[in-house]
Amino acid sequence: MQSNKNADRRAFLTQTGKAMAACALLGSTSGIAYANGPSKENKDDILNVNKLIDKHYYLDNIRLEDGFIYQNETVIGTKTSLNTLEIQDGKIVAILPNRQHTQTQLPAYDAGGMLMLPALRDMHIHLDKTFYGGPWRAPASREGKTIMDMIALEQKLLPELQPYTKDRATKLIDLIQSKGSVIARSHCNIDPVSGLKNLLALQEVLEQRKGDFSCEIVAFPQHGLLLSKSEPLMREAMQAGAHYVGGLDPTTVDGAMEQSLDTMFQIALDYDKGVDIHLHETSPSGVAAVNYIIGTVEKTPLLKGKVTISHAFALAMLNPQEAELTAKKLAEQQITIASTVPIGTLHMPLKMLKREGVLVITGTDSVIDHWSPFGLGDMLEKANLYAQLYTRPDEFALSRSLAIATGNILPLNDKGERVWPKAQDEASFVLVDASCSAEAVARISPRQAAFYQGQMASGAVAKAVS
C-alpha cells in the first residue's frame, strides 16, 4: 500500500516537473521556482552577520533534539530542550544547561529558541557561471536542443558572463548561505573558451570568503575532455589548486568512453586528486560508464573513496535487481552519488542506494543560468523533495531525510540517541524556525542564521539579556 502512495506522489510531482525532465537529461534540474536573496536585520538588539566577530562566546536558547517520542514502538514525535553552547575558536567546546554561564566575562547571544541543525551542504553547484545577481534572464529555448547544441551556445555565452563572474559568485554564495549552506562543492568550467579565467576568479572569491564559507572546486571540462582537447588545461587547473578532476558524458560528448574515463582518472592519479564526473547518459552507454568507473576504482585502490558520480541518470534505467547489485558495488568502492533529486520522468533509486550504504549527496546544480531558471539554492528544499519522492510522511522518515542535505550528519541516530552536536564538534550549523528536524524538512522552515566554524555567515541573533 505504501509503495502505491509513493507512486501517486511521484506521479503528481512528475506532472509539475515535466518541464524540467529534459533539463535533467542535459545537466540541470532544480525545484519549484523562487530565489530570494538573504535578508539581514539591523535593530539595536540584533547582531547581524557583520557584527558577531567574537572567537569565544555563549549562544543561549539553542533548541537541540534529545530523542524520539514513541507510541507502541512507533516514533510519533521528537523531544527537544533549550541549551547553551560555548563556542571557542570554531568549535563547540561545551553544551551546557540553558543560560548556565561558567565564565561570566564571555559575551553571550540569544538564538531565540531556534532549532539547531547541522550545516547544510550544497555539493553540486556552478558558482562560476550564473545569471543570479544580474537582471532577470530566462534561458533560451531548449526545445529540440541536444547537449552538443548547448555546448555551442555556452561557447558563445561565456565571454559575456566572465566580466561578472566574481560579483555573481559572491551573490550566489550569499544566497545559499541565507538558506543554511556554508559548505559546498562547485564545478568550474575549464575549456578553451574560458581557459583558467573562471577558476582563478572563483578562487579569488573563495579566498575572500574563507572565514565564513568552505568550497571544494571541481575542474569541469564542460565542452568535453577529449572533444575540446582540454587535457592540458585540466592539468594546469590541478596545478592551480582545483580539488577534483571533472568529466562529462564520455560516450555522447567525447565519443570514446574508455579513453575519456582513463584520461580523467590518470589526471586524478597524477595529481593525487578526487574525481567528480557529470554523467547524464542513460542506458546503455550510461550503464557501461558506471560499470567502467566501478571497475577502474576496484583495480586502483588509490581512487577508493575519492570518486563521485554526479547525476548518474543511468541508474534510473536499471531494473530493481540490477540497481541493487550496482549499489552494492558502488558501496564497496566507496563511490558517492551526487543527485539533484530530479522530479521529471526519471525516478532515481536513491532510497535503495542509501539502504545499501552508498553516500548520496545533493546540490543546487544551476541557479538561474542558461541551463535552468529554477534553482533555489536551498538544500532543505532538496531534503523535502527527497522525502516526498522516497519516504513515508511520518516523523521518523522525515527526520532521516535531512541527511541528504547535511552530508549524512543527523542530530539523532536511528535509535533516537543524540549523536550531534558533541563537544569538540566543528561549530558549523544552521538555526531554523522549527520544532524538530521532521518539521524543518516537511515545511522547509525559515532559516534564522547560519554559522561556519563559529562565525555567523548569514542572518542574525539577538544579544543575550543579562
Side-chain angles (χ1 to χ4, degrees):
M1 181 65 71
Q2 186 61 51
S3 62
N4 290 336
K5 290 181 180 179
N6 283 343
D8 291 342
R9 167 59 63 184
R10 291 196 297 272
F12 171 77
L13 290 174
T14 294
Q15 291 303 312
T16 65
K18 276 188 174 179
M20 287 179 278
C23 291
L25 284 168
L26 293 181
S28 112
T29 59
S30 295
I32 322 292
Y34 68 87
N36 296 326
S39 61
K40 295 172 184 176
E41 301 184 50
N42 291 297
K43 297 177 182 178
D44 291 342
D45 61 343
I46 298 292
L47 284 172
N48 69 16
V49 67
N50 298 313
K51 295 182 180 178
L52 200 163
I53 58 175
D54 300 288
K55 300 295 185 183
H56 192 186
Y57 60 92
Y58 290 115
L59 190 55
D60 294 333
N61 281 321
I62 285 282
R63 186 170 302 281
L64 299 180
E65 295 186 345
D66 296 327
F68 292 131
I69 300 170
Y70 293 89
Q71 184 178 75
N72 299 326
E73 300 185 350
T74 298
V75 175
I76 61 169
T78 303
K79 295 180 287 187
T80 65
S81 62
L82 294 178
N83 298 262
T84 285
L85 300 185
E86 182 183 345
I87 295 174
Q88 182 177 14
D89 296 329
K91 291 187 177 295
I92 299 168
V93 296
I95 302 172
L96 305 167
N98 197 31
R99 294 181 175 172
Q100 298 298 304
H101 300 171
T102 58
Q103 302 181 58
T104 56
Q105 79 279 8
L106 290 182
Y109 306 105
D110 192 327
M114 295 293 107
L115 177 69
M116 177 177 166
L117 295 179
L120 304 183
R121 299 167 181 248
D122 194 325
M123 299 306 287
H124 187 109
I125 191 169
H126 295 262
L127 292 171
D128 67 313
K129 51 179 186 181
T130 178
F131 299 156
Y132 184 80
W136 163 252
R137 180 174 176 177
S141 173
R142 295 281 296 275
E143 186 175 358
K145 296 290 198 310
T146 67
I147 195 167
M148 303 304 286
D149 295 327
M150 291 301 295
I151 288 172
L153 170 64
E154 187 172 287
Q155 289 170 339
K156 296 178 181 178
L157 186 62
L158 284 172
E160 176 187 336
L161 293 176
Q162 282 171 348
Y164 307 102
T165 297
K166 289 187 283 188
D167 178 65
R168 292 184 181 179
T170 297
K171 289 175 179 175
L172 188 46
I173 291 169
D174 288 343
L175 172 67
I176 67 174
Q177 283 182 327
S178 77
K179 306 296 186 182
S181 292
V182 295
I183 299 165
R185 182 184 296 176
S186 177
H187 296 254
C188 182
N189 262 48
I190 302 295
D191 58 73
V193 176
S194 303
L196 299 188
K197 291 178 184 177
N198 284 24
L199 174 62
L200 297 176
L202 183 55
Q203 286 177 323
E204 184 176 333
V205 171
L206 295 177
E207 176 64 23
Q208 294 169 352
R209 301 301 293 265
K210 65 182 180 182
D212 63 17
F213 186 69
S214 172
C215 184
E216 301 169 326
I217 298 177
V218 183
F220 176 39
Q222 172 74 82
H223 304 162
L225 179 57
L226 302 183
L227 180 68
S228 63
K229 299 179 174 59
S230 290
E231 181 181 352
L233 282 171
M234 291 287 287
R235 290 181 175 276
E236 287 183 45
M238 296 303 106
Q239 294 171 353
H243 305 95
Y244 286 81
V245 181
L248 176 68
D249 297 340
T251 300
T252 59
V253 174
D254 275 344
M257 183 195 74
E258 293 188 8
Q259 182 185 356
S260 179
L261 294 177
D262 286 346
T263 302
M264 178 186 69
F265 281 123
Q266 192 59 56
I267 296 170
L269 290 168
D270 289 347
Y271 295 94
D272 191 23
K273 304 287 186 175
V275 166
D276 190 337
I277 179 175
H278 282 65
L279 186 62
H280 312 105
E281 297 173 18
T282 51
S283 59
S285 64
V287 174
V290 169
N291 289 331
Y292 193 83
I293 290 169
I294 292 171
T296 300
V297 176
E298 187 175 16
K299 293 183 293 187
T300 317
L302 288 173
L303 293 170
K304 191 171 184 177
K306 298 174 69 175
V307 174
T308 298
I309 305 176
S310 287
H311 302 300
F313 294 137
L315 299 178
M317 303 293 106
L318 301 176
N319 65 43
Q321 294 75 26
E322 292 170 334
E324 184 173 346
L325 178 60
T326 301
K328 291 180 185 297
K329 293 178 180 178
L330 290 167
E332 287 172 1
Q333 302 310 320
Q334 299 174 23
I335 296 172
T336 297
I337 298 296
S339 175
T340 54
V341 195
I343 61 173
T345 55
L346 290 170
H347 182 66
M348 297 292 295
L350 301 183
K351 184 176 180 180
M352 185 273 296
L353 289 168
K354 288 168 66 68
R355 186 184 69 235
E356 295 299 331
V358 178
L359 177 60
V360 178
I361 58 179
T362 190
T364 295
D365 201 358
S366 297
V367 176
I368 311 178
D369 64 10
H370 56 289
W371 292 92
S372 169
F374 295 110
L376 307 184
D378 191 343
M379 293 304 98
L380 201 52
E381 181 253 356
K382 291 292 184 180
N384 171 281
L385 188 56
Y386 174 86
Q388 291 192 62
L389 286 167
Y390 297 100
T391 71
R392 305 175 306 278
D394 58 45
E395 185 85 4
F396 181 79
L398 288 166
S399 73
R400 304 300 87 185
S401 296
L402 179 67
I404 198 170
T406 62
N408 224 27
I409 301 171
L410 291 172
L412 303 178
N413 65 17
D414 288 353
K415 297 178 180 179
E417 301 163 332
R418 185 198 290 168
V419 291
W420 180 95
K422 304 185 302 293
Q424 299 307 312
D425 279 348
E426 182 180 292
S428 296
F429 54 88
V430 57
L431 302 181
V432 181
D433 188 5
S435 63
C436 61
S437 295
E439 181 185 6
V441 169
R443 305 305 306 159
I444 317 180
S445 300
R447 270 47 49 99
Q448 175 176 293
F451 285 72
Y452 173 70
Q453 294 184 355
Q455 297 301 297
M456 191 159 59
S458 181
V461 293
K463 298 176 183 177
V465 178
S466 57

